[in-house]
Amino acid sequence: MYTEKVMDHFTNPRNVGEIENADGIGQVGNPSCGDIMKITLKVEDNIIKDIKFKTFGCGAAVATSSMVTEMAMGKTIDEALTITNKAVAEALEGLPPAKMHCSNLAADALKVAIEDYLKKQNV
Ligand code: FES
């Protein structure tokens, strides 16, 4: 039911944790299941230098969070803002239809973290 990529990111998630003194913090909850995800960012010269996530959620939420951190790492703020739920799911070679909503959590948490960073910069 899950692709190998999903299983890989679920069993061996990348960038787990929380950055201290983060430049941007995004936390979102999924109202349909109650799962929660938090993303913290370090930004230098408009580039995401470090990104970590913590997820209290299902396997698909862990896999999408892990993938979104890999996709955002090293990107400019503008590039990272273009990462969509769909792109994350595609990078994982697909999610079962019933699990598509889980990918919203990852891209949304990234967006909230970036918005938080921009707010702190007074942009
Ligand atoms: Fe809640 Fe997947 S079931 S994020």
Short mmCIF file of all heavy atoms in Angstrom, two decimals, residues 30 33 35 58 61 99 101-102 105, ligand 1:
data_model
loop_
_atom_site.label_atom_id
_atom_site.label_comp_id
_atom_site.label_asym_id
_atom_site.label_seq_id
_atom_site.Cartn_x
_atom_site.Cartn_y
_atom_site.Cartn_z
N ASN A 30 -3.75 18.72 12.20
CA ASN A 30 -4.67 18.23 11.18
C ASN A 30 -6.03 17.98 11.85
O ASN A 30 -6.15 17.08 12.67
CB ASN A 30 -4.10 16.92 10.61
CG ASN A 30 -4.83 16.49 9.37
OD1 ASN A 30 -6.03 16.76 9.23
ND2 ASN A 30 -4.12 15.85 8.49
N CYS A 33 -7.63 14.33 11.90
CA CYS A 33 -7.13 13.20 12.69
C CYS A 33 -6.50 13.62 14.01
O CYS A 33 -6.20 12.77 14.84
CB CYS A 33 -6.09 12.42 11.89
SG CYS A 33 -4.67 13.42 11.48
N ASP A 35 -3.54 14.96 14.38
CA ASP A 35 -2.07 14.88 14.37
C ASP A 35 -1.46 16.28 14.31
O ASP A 35 -2.06 17.22 13.80
CB ASP A 35 -1.59 14.05 13.18
CG ASP A 35 -1.94 12.58 13.34
OD1 ASP A 35 -2.36 12.20 14.45
OD2 ASP A 35 -1.80 11.82 12.38
N CYS A 58 0.78 10.03 12.09
CA CYS A 58 0.81 8.72 11.45
C CYS A 58 2.09 8.55 10.60
O CYS A 58 2.85 9.50 10.41
CB CYS A 58 -0.41 8.56 10.55
SG CYS A 58 -0.32 9.59 9.08
N ALA A 61 2.44 10.93 7.76
CA ALA A 61 2.81 12.28 8.21
C ALA A 61 4.32 12.35 8.48
O ALA A 61 4.98 13.33 8.14
CB ALA A 61 2.02 12.66 9.46
N LYS A 99 -4.61 8.70 2.44
CA LYS A 99 -3.53 9.32 3.22
C LYS A 99 -3.06 10.64 2.62
O LYS A 99 -2.12 11.25 3.13
CB LYS A 99 -2.35 8.34 3.30
CG LYS A 99 -2.61 7.19 4.23
CD LYS A 99 -2.46 7.67 5.65
CE LYS A 99 -2.94 6.67 6.67
NZ LYS A 99 -2.96 7.23 8.02
N HIS A 101 -4.37 13.50 2.71
CA HIS A 101 -4.52 14.65 3.62
C HIS A 101 -3.33 14.79 4.56
O HIS A 101 -3.04 15.87 5.04
CB HIS A 101 -5.83 14.55 4.42
CG HIS A 101 -5.77 13.52 5.52
ND1 HIS A 101 -6.07 12.19 5.31
CD2 HIS A 101 -5.44 13.62 6.81
CE1 HIS A 101 -5.92 11.53 6.45
NE2 HIS A 101 -5.54 12.38 7.37
N CYS A 102 -2.63 13.69 4.80
CA CYS A 102 -1.48 13.72 5.70
C CYS A 102 -0.36 14.59 5.12
O CYS A 102 0.42 15.19 5.87
CB CYS A 102 -0.94 12.33 5.96
SG CYS A 102 -2.23 11.16 6.40
N LEU A 105 -0.15 18.41 6.01
CA LEU A 105 0.48 18.82 7.26
C LEU A 105 1.91 19.29 7.00
O LEU A 105 2.33 20.33 7.51
CB LEU A 105 0.48 17.59 8.18
CG LEU A 105 0.30 17.77 9.66
CD1 LEU A 105 -0.92 18.61 9.98
CD2 LEU A 105 0.15 16.40 10.33
FE1 FES B 1 -3.15 12.25 10.69
FE2 FES B 1 -2.00 11.09 8.70
S1 FES B 1 -3.66 10.32 9.83
S2 FES B 1 -1.62 13.04 9.47
#
